[in-house]
């Protein structure tokens, strides 16, 4: 499941890019080795912005994480500005 990018109303949007996608691609470890099948890739902001690096981390990005790693906490804080 995915939703459209909220752009200007999202705290992660810097006016041009998604800071969350950038931080995820740079800071979180890849969790898969091959580009996975994806039904939203052609419309995915993260794919358009960060490419394969975002896809290699996508499976670990979840909405409700009740026990996030320290890295995940730091990435979300950095992305928020």
């Amino acid at each position: 499941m995915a939703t459209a990018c909220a752009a200007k109303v999202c705290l992660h949007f810097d006016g041009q890019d998604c800071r969350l996608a950038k931080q995820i691609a740079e800071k979180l470890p890849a969790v898969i080795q091959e580009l996975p099948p994806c039904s939203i890739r052609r419309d995915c902001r993260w794919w358009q912005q960060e490419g394969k690096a975002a896809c290699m981390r996508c499976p670990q990005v979840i909405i409700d994480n009740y026990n996030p790693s320290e890295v995940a906490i730091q990435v979300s804080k950095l992305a928020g500005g």
Side-chain angles (χ1 to χ4, degrees):
M1 291 185 1
T3 187
C5 174
K8 295 177 183 172
V9 297
C10 178
L11 69 107
H12 299 295
F13 190 69
D14 69 6
Q16 183 174 0
D17 289 322
C18 175
R19 292 182 296 212
L20 182 58
K22 181 176 171 49
Q23 291 296 324
I24 286 170
E26 291 178 358
K27 310 264 189 221
L28 291 181
V31 293
I32 54 175
Q33 307 257 335
E34 307 260 336
L35 198 62
C38 179
S39 61
I40 67 161
R41 187 170 291 128
R42 68 184 174 107
D43 298 315
C44 177
R45 173 178 277 286
W46 289 13
W47 166 256
Q48 292 168 6
Q49 181 181 312
E50 302 298 328
K52 187 176 179 180
C55 292
M56 296 302 169
R57 289 147 180 89
C58 189
Q60 70 187 311
V61 178
I62 56 176
I63 294 172
D64 294 323
N65 186 347
Y66 299 105
N67 191 21
S69 69
E70 196 58 39
V71 173
I73 292 168
Q74 289 303 314
V75 165
S76 65
K77 286 181 181 177
L78 290 170

